[in-house]
Amino acid sequence: MTQPLILGIESSCDETGIGIVRGRTLLTNTVSSSMEEHVRFGGVIPEIASRAHLDAMIPALQKALDEADVTLEDMDAIAVTAGPGLAGALMVGVSAAKALAVATGKPLYGINHLVAHVGVGLLEDCGIEGFSADFMDQLPAEGLGALLVSGGHTEILAVRDITADVELLGATLDDAAGEAYDKVARLLGLNYPGGPAIDWAAREGDSKAFAFPRGLTARKYMGTAEEPGPHRYDFSFSGLKTAVARVVEGFEARGEEVPVADIAASFQEAVVDVITRKAMLACTEKGIKTLLLGGGVAANSRLRELTAARCAEHGIQLVIPKLSLCTDNGAMVAALGARLVGEGRAPSGVNFTADSSLPVTTVQL
C-alpha cells in the first residue's frame, strides 16, 4: 500500500492533535491546545491537560475529517501516540483511538511520539522548499539523523529505518532544553512558556554579556573520537540554570536592575551552542549526511539559525519542518503511521497500553 490514508491522534501533553495523511501528502492538521489553561501555573498540569483532551477530542476529530473531506470509513488505518508523555493525557488519546478502531474495524498502530517528530519531516508539505519527498529512499545506511529539542526531550538520533531501527546517540541527563527555558524565564520574570519569551527578550540582548557554562563539554565527559567519553553526545542544562539563578540573585542582592535581555541572550546562546556543537559532532562521527530538527524548541530562532550555519559548515543537509509541524501534532503521528503501513508492518491491535516512558528506540508497540 503506497498511498495509505491514515488518521493520526496525538495527546501526549497539552495539544490535542488530529492529522490526516495520504501517503506522504498532508491533508489536514488540526490542533487544539490547552496552553492558556496552564499559564497561570507556570507549567503543564497533567490533570488539566487530560480533561482538556477529553473536551477537545471529538470536535478536533470532526474538524479534521471535514477539512480533509473524508470519513472514518475511508481510512486505511489509525495511528495514535502511545508514548512517551503524560500518562493521563496519553490514555485519553489511546482510548479514543481504540474506540474508533473497534467501531470501524480499522487496524490500529500505537507509535512513538518522538519518532513521529522525525516522520513529519518526510512529508511533501513539511515546509522545506525544493526538497524531494522521497529523499529518505535515496539516503545511504545511517544517512539520516534527528535532533529533537522540546520541553521534555533533548536527543540526537541515528535513523537507519524509521519504521524499525532508531538509535539513541545522546540525550539530556537532567532538564531538557525546553524545561531550562521555562525555569530561566521564571527567574527573569518572563511569561510561560519560557521558550518564546526568552527568544524574544534575547533579540535586544548581548549574547556575550555573561559566560554561562556549557554542560558536559569538558574532556572527561567528551573524550576523543578514538576513546569517547561517557557523555560525548549527551546534554545537561541544570548547571546552566543554576548559574543563571546565581547571576540574578547577585543583581538583586546589590539592589541593581537585572539585565533581562543580556541574561536571556547569554543563556540562549549557551543552550544552542552546546546543542548544535554536539549534534555536529555526532553527525560527522556517525556518517550522518541529513539532519532533521524537530520538537517544540525547534521554533526557536537562534537554534534554527545556528543549526543551519553549522550544518552548512559541515556539509550536512538540514531539514526543519514549518513551525506548525514542529510542536506536537496529529500530522506527525499520521505520517509515521503511513510509513508503517507502507512498509507492511503489522498493526499493534487494541491490547497495548500507553507507556509514559516509552524509549525512542521502540518505534511501535
Side-chain angles (χ1 to χ4, degrees):
M1 190 180 297
T2 58
Q3 296 292 319
L5 183 64
I6 308 297
L7 173 72
I9 300 175
E10 155 63 23
S11 69
S12 64
C13 191
D14 58 344
E15 283 100 4
T16 306
I18 306 292
I20 299 176
V21 166
R22 188 186 300 277
R24 295 177 181 173
T25 302
L26 176 61
L27 301 184
T28 186
N29 182 38
T30 300
V31 178
S32 176
S33 175
S34 62
M35 177 66 71
E36 292 184 0
E37 300 180 46
H38 305 283
V39 169
R40 64 192 178 102
F41 300 104
V44 176
I45 306 302
E47 179 65 18
I48 293 177
S50 299
R51 291 179 181 275
H53 287 309
L54 285 170
D55 292 337
M57 188 63 66
I58 298 303
L61 173 62
Q62 190 58 61
K63 181 180 179 182
L65 292 172
D66 291 343
E67 288 182 351
D69 194 23
V70 296
T71 67
L72 288 172
E73 289 70 26
D74 295 329
M75 299 299 160
D76 292 306
I78 298 170
V80 63
T81 294
L86 301 176
L90 289 168
M91 288 174 63
V92 175
V94 169
S95 297
K98 288 182 178 181
L100 291 173
V102 171
T104 61
K106 304 298 181 180
L108 177 62
Y109 290 78
I111 68 170
N112 191 301
H113 160 91
L114 298 177
V115 182
H117 274 297
V118 182
V120 77
L122 307 180
L123 290 173
E124 292 176 351
D125 189 27
C126 71
I128 310 302
E129 296 183 6
F131 203 72
S132 174
D134 61 354
F135 77 92
M136 188 169 177
D137 296 334
Q138 304 169 10
L139 291 175
E142 302 184 36
L144 178 64
L147 175 58
L148 303 183
V149 190
S150 70
H153 303 273
T154 305
E155 299 177 342
I156 305 173
L157 310 177
V159 183
R160 298 182 182 88
D161 180 347
I162 195 170
T163 66
D165 189 357
V166 176
E167 180 185 0
L168 177 64
L169 299 179
T172 183
L173 303 186
D174 39 59
D175 290 342
E179 291 174 310
Y181 268 88
D182 288 340
K183 292 174 180 178
V184 168
R186 191 177 302 121
L187 290 170
L188 296 177
L190 299 175
N191 294 330
Y192 174 85
I198 287 180
D199 195 12
W200 184 261
R203 297 178 185 183
E204 303 298 324
D206 179 2
S207 63
K208 297 180 180 179
F210 298 92
F212 288 131
R214 272 62 168 166
L216 299 183
T217 57
R219 183 180 177 85
K220 64 180 179 179
Y221 301 119
M222 298 289 291
T224 63
E226 294 73 25
E227 297 183 12
H231 300 297
R232 190 165 178 79
Y233 307 136
D234 290 329
F235 308 100
S236 173
F237 300 109
S238 63
L240 171 60
K241 174 199 64 182
T242 301
V244 173
R246 297 293 85 82
V247 168
V248 172
E249 290 169 0
F251 278 97
E252 292 176 341
R254 295 188 298 270
E256 300 174 2
E257 182 179 354
V258 177
V260 172
D262 286 347
I263 293 177
S266 299
F267 161 77
Q268 178 164 271
E269 194 66 20
V271 173
V272 301
D273 178 39
V274 71
I275 287 177
T276 54
R277 272 200 286 158
K278 291 210 170 194
M280 294 303 99
L281 184 65
C283 287
T284 54
E285 292 184 350
K286 297 295 182 179
I288 292 172
K289 305 300 182 183
T290 300
L291 180 70
L292 185 141
L293 176 62
V297 184
N300 180 272
S301 63
R302 181 55 180 155
L303 177 61
R304 296 165 78 93
E305 177 185 44
L306 191 56
T307 305
R310 289 184 168 170
C311 279
E313 291 174 5
H314 291 81
I316 297 169
Q317 186 169 28
L318 176 63
V319 179
I320 309 178
K322 55 188 176 184
L323 296 183
S324 63
L325 297 180
C326 286
T327 54
D328 296 342
N329 60 82
M332 67 185 195
V333 180
L336 180 54
R339 285 273 171 175
L340 291 166
V341 173
E343 291 293 323
R345 304 293 179 186
S348 305
V350 295
N351 294 323
F352 68 90
T353 59
D355 185 348
S356 61
S357 58
L358 185 67
V360 70
T361 50
T362 302
V363 178
Q364 173 195 350
L365 290 180

